[in-house]
Amino acid sequence: TMYEVFSLALGLSCDFFTSRARRVPTWPVTIAHYPKQLVPPPEGTMRIQPHWDRTLFALVTTQDLDEQTLGGGLQILVDRTTGCAADGRNIDDAEWRSVAIEPDCFVLNVGEQMARWTNGRFKHVVHRVPNPSPAMATTVKHGRISIMAYVSPDYDTPVECLPSCLEASGGVAKYEPTWVGEMLNWNSNLPIYDKAKQERMRMAQGLYNAAGSQTTLGTPTDVNSVMSSST
C-alpha cells in the first residue's frame, strides 16, 4: 500500500502509517463535475482555486482528458529552476505546470500531514485547476469528471516531525506538533481543538484569510515564519 511505500522511503518500519490507520482513519472521496462550458469563461479564471490538501496524501484521476490538452486540468506550483514543489514563500521563482494524467492512472499529491511528519522533506503540493483559455473552452466535447480520494490516518493520531527528519534538517522543526483531527476541523468550536493553533495553521497555509476565504499566494507557509512575522 502507499502507507507502506511512504514508510519505507522514510526508513521507517513498513507498518508506521498502517499501524496509525486501524481504528478511525479518514478517507473521504470527492467527485468533481466540470460541465461543458457553453459560454467562454473570463481569461485567467479557475475551476478550483490554488490550495493544498491537509491530508497525508491524495489520489486523483479524471474521466476526460480533453481539457488538459487545451490548457485546463490539474496544475502544480513548482520552482522553475529545480522543478521541485514550491510554496507561497517562493512565488517569484515559481511557475504553474500542467500535470498530464494518463488514461486509467492516478496522480498522487502529498498533503500537509506528510509535510509535517517529514519536516518538509516531502512537500505538500500547491495545486489548482484552471479553465482552458476563452478561445478553447467551448471546443471541449464533453464535461469533465474527476475523482479525488483523500487519505489520513486515525482521527486522533499525533502529527509531529519524525526524529530522523528533524536531525536531517539541522534540528529545527518547521511545524508545531498537532494531530489529524485538529488539522481537518478548522471550523469546529468543540473544546478539544486548540483554536489558536488552528488559526496559525490557517495562516501558515498562505492561501486563506482568517474567515476562510480565498486569497492569493505569497504569504509565508510554515508556522515558524508566521509566528516570527507576528512578533
Side-chain angles (χ1 to χ4, degrees):
T1 67
M2 291 307 307
Y3 279 141
E4 294 166 322
V5 169
F6 277 117
S7 296
L8 294 174
L10 291 167
L12 306 170
S13 63
C14 66
D15 67 345
F16 179 85
F17 290 115
T18 55
S19 66
R20 290 161 172 77
R22 289 177 174 167
R23 295 178 296 102
V24 283
T26 306
W27 298 342
V29 175
T30 299
I31 300 176
H33 177 217
Y34 309 98
K36 176 178 171 59
Q37 300 184 79
L38 303 179
V39 177
E43 184 73 48
T45 54
M46 298 290 117
R47 295 270 205 183
I48 296 179
Q49 294 287 346
H51 68 285
W52 71 61
D53 304 324
R54 283 175 267 165
T55 54
L56 192 67
F57 61 88
L59 296 169
V60 182
T61 190
T62 187
Q63 152 269 348
D64 186 275
L65 306 180
D66 283 351
E67 281 201 6
Q68 72 179 25
T69 64
L70 299 174
L74 179 65
Q75 293 184 337
I76 59 174
L77 189 68
V78 300
D79 184 288
R80 60 169 48 92
T81 301
T82 66
C84 295
D87 61 28
R89 292 171 297 168
N90 306 315
I91 190 68
D92 291 338
D93 299 316
E95 64 182 7
W96 291 101
R97 291 186 186 175
S98 296
V99 178
I101 302 180
E102 300 296 330
D104 302 319
C105 292
F106 287 87
V107 168
L108 188 148
N109 281 339
V110 168
E112 186 180 354
Q113 291 171 23
M114 185 68 74
R116 286 173 174 270
W117 250 308
T118 65
N119 214 30
R121 175 182 170 187
F122 292 164
K123 294 182 179 180
H124 37 317
V125 181
V126 180
H127 51 282
R128 68 180 187 179
V129 179
N131 276 305
S133 67
M136 304 301 295
T138 58
T139 67
V140 177
K141 296 180 181 179
H142 308 286
R144 176 188 178 97
I145 295 177
S146 295
I147 299 176
M148 293 77 74
Y150 303 98
V151 179
S152 292
D154 291 332
Y155 193 80
D156 56 354
T157 300
V159 180
E160 58 184 315
C161 184
L162 294 164
S164 59
C165 293
L166 183 64
E167 182 181 355
S169 52
V172 179
K174 292 183 178 180
Y175 309 100
E176 60 186 327
T178 182
W179 51 287
V180 170
E182 196 165 62
M183 293 185 68
L184 297 180
N185 269 325
W186 285 350
N187 296 321
S188 173
N189 290 319
L190 291 175
I192 60 174
Y193 304 117
D194 183 333
K195 297 301 292 183
K197 185 188 294 184
Q198 288 181 315
E199 183 60 22
R200 288 195 295 273
M201 285 192 284
R202 187 197 301 278
M203 292 175 62
Q205 191 174 37
L207 303 175
Y208 294 89
N209 64 21
S213 300
Q214 185 76 44
T215 61
T216 58
L217 290 170
T219 305
T221 55
D222 65 81
V223 165
N224 288 339
S225 295
V226 170
M227 295 182 71
S228 64
S229 65
S230 62
T231 56

